[in-house]
Amino acid sequence: MASGTALIYDDEMTSYKLLWDDPECDIEVPERLLSSYEQLKHYHLVERCIHVPVREGTEEEIMLVHSSEYLEVVKSTQTMNEEELQRVSENYDAVYFHPNTYRCAKLAVGATLQLVDSVMSGKVRNGMALVRPPGHHSQRNAANGFCVFNNVAIAAQYAKRRYGLQRILIVDWDVHHGQGIQYVFEEDPSVLYYSWHRYEHQQFWPLLRESDYDAVGQGKGKGFNLNVPWNKVGMGNSDYLAAFFHVLLPVAFEFVPELILVSSGYDSGIGDPEGQMNATPECFAHLTHFLMQLANGRLCAVLEGGYHLKSLSESVCMTVKTLLRDPLPQISGEMAPCLSAIESIQNVRGAHKPYWKCLMYEGNCSSDAERNNFFCAVLGFILPVAYSYQPDLVIIVIGPNRSLGVNGISLLTCLLQGLAESQILVVIQVRSVEVTVGCQHPHYQSLTRIHCAGRYSILFGQFPLK
Ligand code: X5A
Ligand code: ZN
């Protein structure tokens, strides 16, 4: 299996900026990329990644999502003067154009496709593309919300065509609703789109009715659009984890994606002026870690928003560090989700009940297959309890009458690896399943078996399970 993490960045994507006064757009600055890359260098993460060069996306690739008419409009901005640029920008909501915008937008598409190719060809296991302009708001015929071409939507269409993929998961953890992505895949059951977003009962930009939890997809795509609208600001680590445990992860494990694209915006992080949320950079490590357990680890993170330079760059580092499989940092703070978050989560689960087995039998797991039972217990109970307890050590005991196979034990252990800074101890019945377990603790690293008592032995060793 492929190993290694791709990092895609080119400073040419810092070559455009806002040229006039516009208080709505002035947060989208070149320093967003520069400071993220600087911070990656600071933590020596750049040198641990595999550098993949950017390229321009071709017109054909851009037209996987956009119309030729719109492409021509964007192209025409290359040679415009400031006054003309301002006039084109006014045709769209929260957008500015610069003479270099078109070139950078093509590079952002190309960078994203280079990342998909690196992962799909097996050159790397996963990776991140640091791009500007972002993409998830842009639409077939329109730029929107700082976005020009829909990098992630184009990447999903491209991956379907080029690699014949049948199931792609898009996780949009940016604080805004990626309505552009929703529109492209609304009727498409081969792309599962998940977005959480500041909503405030439709009082927050982009102020759309269709960002609510009841937009579940249309036609054949019913059930493949998951919106978690946040109706209050101040959502934090526990709210985001609860949305993962109770909405995204159960559905994603049932969906069985072949590739994950992350619309990786960090305006959902603490300090961001747009989001007004509280999730700390460590939270993004855990979100990344959970997604890495799907699609054979094939994950492409593509930058979207993020406007607090420090919060943004620390969160980018957490994401890349996790992709590189470093031990996870402990997650801090109150671990109970707030009432408003619980309400949103219950609403999405209710709206999606008809489409997903994992949501069908609430509180009654016994009626379906073993597999469903297992996810039900792990995501609905074990992980939430474990995360709220914040242990220093995790001990997994597997009893004699279990129905779990080695894959289940392996997944359970992987999902619990975000706890106790990856110090995990597995107690397992002798002679039933051969398991080796990883432990980052310096005392245990070299040990393979430290204790054998009665019917159980305690094993330590290299991770992951073989
Ligand atoms: C990519 C992104 C936000 C636009 C906000 C406009 N766009 N008020 O975060
Ligand atoms: Zn955003």
Side-chain angles (χ1 to χ4, degrees):
M1 193 158 86
S3 62
T5 295
L7 180 63
I8 310 195
Y9 167 80
D10 193 302
D11 64 8
E12 195 176 345
M13 284 180 284
T14 66
S15 68
Y16 76 94
K17 61 174 189 186
L18 177 65
L19 296 173
W20 52 85
D21 267 350
D22 181 346
E24 192 175 10
C25 291
D26 63 13
I27 53 175
E28 204 294 294
V29 294
E31 289 75 19
R32 298 178 53 241
L33 282 196
L34 291 168
S35 63
S36 299
Y37 195 68
E38 274 308 306
Q39 204 62 9
L40 286 167
K41 283 197 278 193
H42 175 81
Y43 289 123
H44 300 284
L45 293 167
V46 170
E47 60 214 54
R48 295 175 56 199
C49 290
I50 295 163
H51 173 81
V52 175
V54 303
R55 64 167 173 91
E56 284 192 352
T58 66
E59 296 197 353
E60 192 189 335
E61 288 161 351
I62 290 165
M63 284 178 356
L64 287 169
V65 164
H66 301 280
S67 68
S68 56
E69 294 81 1
Y70 173 63
L71 174 59
E72 291 308 314
V73 172
V74 179
K75 200 185 285 181
S76 72
T77 63
Q78 281 178 106
T79 52
M80 286 181 177
N81 64 35
E82 192 173 317
E83 194 184 314
E84 292 168 318
L85 288 165
Q86 209 163 341
R87 221 174 327 107
V88 184
S89 303
E90 277 161 15
N91 293 333
Y92 304 108
D93 185 10
V95 171
Y96 67 90
F97 281 95
H98 176 283
N100 293 339
T101 296
Y102 176 54
R103 163 81 178 158
C104 293
K106 282 191 294 183
L107 290 178
V109 170
T112 307
L113 300 185
Q114 288 283 77
L115 179 55
V116 168
D117 281 334
S118 304
V119 168
M120 289 310 301
S121 68
K123 186 179 175 195
V124 296
R125 187 198 306 267
N126 57 34
M128 175 151 206
L130 293 178
V131 301
R132 280 177 79 235
H136 71 155
H137 297 304
S138 65
Q139 297 150 41
R140 182 170 171 77
N141 287 303
N144 183 279
F146 318 152
C147 301
V148 177
F149 298 139
N150 203 315
N151 309 314
V152 166
I154 293 169
Q157 296 288 41
Y158 175 86
K160 279 174 60 176
R161 291 266 177 105
R162 171 130 191 218
Y163 299 100
L165 297 190
Q166 292 177 342
R167 287 177 314 278
I168 297 173
L169 169 64
I170 299 178
V171 177
D172 188 339
W173 68 43
D174 186 282
V175 86
H176 301 96
H177 181 217
Q179 83 278 37
I181 301 181
Q182 175 170 312
Y183 298 155
V184 173
F185 299 109
E186 232 158 6
E187 297 188 42
D188 186 345
S190 67
V191 178
L192 173 59
Y193 177 62
Y194 171 92
S195 173
W196 61 36
H197 33 269
R198 180 171 171 191
Y199 187 61
E200 297 177 293
H201 305 282
Q202 214 185 316
Q203 295 308 295
F204 188 70
W205 191 91
L207 309 159
L208 300 170
R209 174 68 187 85
E210 62 266 33
S211 306
D212 213 349
Y213 63 85
D214 56 352
V216 296
Q218 292 180 18
K220 282 187 182 159
K222 268 195 178 31
F224 297 90
N225 193 84
L226 288 161
N227 283 335
V228 181
W230 298 129
N231 288 316
K232 289 215 159 81
V233 296
M235 297 298 170
N237 299 349
S238 56
D239 306 296
Y240 287 3
L241 285 176
F244 261 49
F245 294 155
H246 301 296
V247 180
L248 175 61
L249 294 175
V251 170
F253 276 107
E254 190 173 329
F255 180 65
V256 196
E258 299 161 304
L259 174 68
I260 303 180
L261 303 174
V262 182
S263 264
S264 200
Y266 297 95
D267 40 17
S268 48
I270 190 163
D272 193 278
E274 274 287 309
Q276 306 284 328
M277 300 297 180
N278 284 330
T280 60
E282 292 74 35
C283 189
F284 294 98
H286 290 259
L287 302 182
T288 304
H289 172 79
F290 288 125
L291 297 180
M292 286 167 67
Q293 312 311 318
L294 291 146
N296 247 313
R298 291 197 276 198
L299 188 158
C300 301
V302 183
L303 186 67
E304 298 277 2
Y307 309 100
H308 184 286
L309 296 183
K310 183 73 183 151
S311 179
L312 164 67
S313 50
E314 290 293 340
S315 300
V316 165
C317 289
M318 282 295 170
T319 305
V320 171
K321 228 171 118 54
T322 306
L323 291 176
L324 284 162
R325 312 180 104 208
D326 277 3
L328 280 92
Q330 204 137 13
I331 204 151
S332 58
E334 171 59 57
M335 264 302 138
C338 72
L339 211 61
S340 176
I342 292 171
E343 195 175 89
S344 296
I345 288 167
Q346 295 232 318
N347 285 337
V348 205
R349 286 179 59 103
H352 277 274
K353 219 168 242 178
Y355 312 108
W356 299 97
K357 279 189 218 140
C358 59
L359 306 177
M360 240 167 246
Y361 326 94
E362 207 163 8
N364 168 26
C365 300
S366 58
S367 40
D368 211 74
E370 217 89 286
R371 191 181 132 75
N372 202 34
N373 262 309
F374 172 68
F375 285 109
C376 198
V378 175
L379 298 170
F381 184 69
I382 299 175
L383 280 172
V385 169
Y387 267 85
S388 65
Y389 186 63
Q390 301 192 22
D392 299 316
L393 178 69
V394 176
I395 301 180
I396 304 170
V397 181
I398 296 138
N401 295 325
R402 74 203 144 68
S403 54
L404 269 189
V406 72
N407 289 334
I409 299 167
S410 172
L411 181 61
L412 174 65
T413 312
C414 287
L415 288 169
L416 289 167
Q417 277 232 303
L419 293 154
E421 288 168 343
S422 299
Q423 294 181 57
I424 296 197
L425 214 161
V426 171
V427 182
I428 194 164
Q429 208 184 356
V430 197
R431 273 190 297 276
S432 56
V433 195
E434 279 297 314
V435 186
T436 22
V437 193
C439 184
Q440 313 289 341
H441 194 285
H443 291 165
Y444 304 140
Q445 242 162 19
S446 58
L447 296 173
T448 52
R449 173 180 295 195
I450 60 155
H451 181 63
C452 190
R455 305 174 58 196
Y456 298 99
S457 60
I458 302 170
L459 305 167
F460 294 87
Q462 266 312 99
F463 213 72
L465 297 177
K466 289 191 191 82

